[in-house]
Amino acid sequence: MTSDAASLPRLAGDAGRSGASDRAALPSASRFGIKVKLFIAVCSLAGLTAVASAVAWYVFGDIDRAVTHVTAESLPGMVSALSLAQESSEIAVTAPALMASRNQEERVVEQARLSQRTADLTAVIEDLSTGGLAPKTTARLLDLRNELTGKLEELNAAIERRLDLKAEREARLAELAAIHTRFLDAIEPLVDDSVFDLVISGEQVTAESTVAITDLVEGGVSRLDRLLSINAEANLAAGLLAEAMHVREGALIQPIRERFAAAASAVERNLRQLPDNSKGRELHDASAALLAFGRGERSVFDRRADELRNAALLTFG
């Protein structure tokens, strides 16, 4: 009993000290309670939200600047570049149409289209220059434009020359056909007359002497033979002239010219042996007009050679 009574004061003292320590620790626990923690968490969330908002503001501002740059600068440049490519392709399409022109009227129309395309190309280059294109690039584009324009002018001049030569060749071919017809109209009556005179003279000298028959052969038959030779050689010359007008290779012109010269010499040689009368002079004039197509500076051979050279320049120039 005595020991139990002695222990009771000690227990009471221990309990008192424990209660005092609990009261001393209570303010510290209340400072870092759930409210403080929630407050700190909300403040942290608000700070992160503010930081995220600032980052988003900067990012969207940068996107806005990029979009503005694309729509205000890059996009117009791209449109102008595409327009430049379109105009260039249209010029490339129109140029073969110019080369395929069949007459001067078609050439003038196609050349007008090319001139318009070139003007549109110049306008596009100027738009690119005002849109901020580098001066060096603009100068290069203008140089290429000038070079293209020069080539197109040369092409137009060559096409004009080719069409002139073609028109002249067709006109001379028609003239040759008319003169050949005139020659045939002049020689056919002479041949008919020679045949008729030969038959009549043959009947008259049948009963006469050998001398009369010899004169008939040397006179009528020889004259008929010369007329037939003239007719054959003149027809050959006309055919050679027509062939020269349609030849496709310049190397073939000289052989045709040489054959024509031989035929022309034969015609003139036989003409000199015919009687000098009105019909003979008419035949001589028709033959001279026919042979003139193959002689002189404007001969069929020279003009066709010039036309073929012009065509070669268009192909390889």
Side-chain angles (χ1 to χ4, degrees), residues 219-240:
V221 174
S222 296
R223 182 169 178 269
L224 178 60
D225 178 66
R226 294 188 185 96
L227 289 172
L228 293 177
S229 296
I230 292 172
N231 188 28
E233 295 296 337
N235 288 334
L236 175 60
L240 292 172

Side-chain angles (χ1 to χ4, degrees), residues 174-184 285-291 293:
E175 185 180 358
L176 173 63
I179 291 178
H180 188 209
T181 301
R182 174 187 165 193
F183 168 80
L184 294 176
D285 294 340
S287 300
L290 177 64
L291 299 179
F293 276 86

Side-chain angles (χ1 to χ4, degrees), residues 263-281:
S265 298
V267 170
E268 293 174 339
R269 183 173 58 254
N270 286 292
L271 281 173
R272 286 194 294 269
Q273 299 177 8
L274 292 178
D276 185 12
N277 51 40
S278 59
K279 290 185 177 181
R281 286 191 294 273

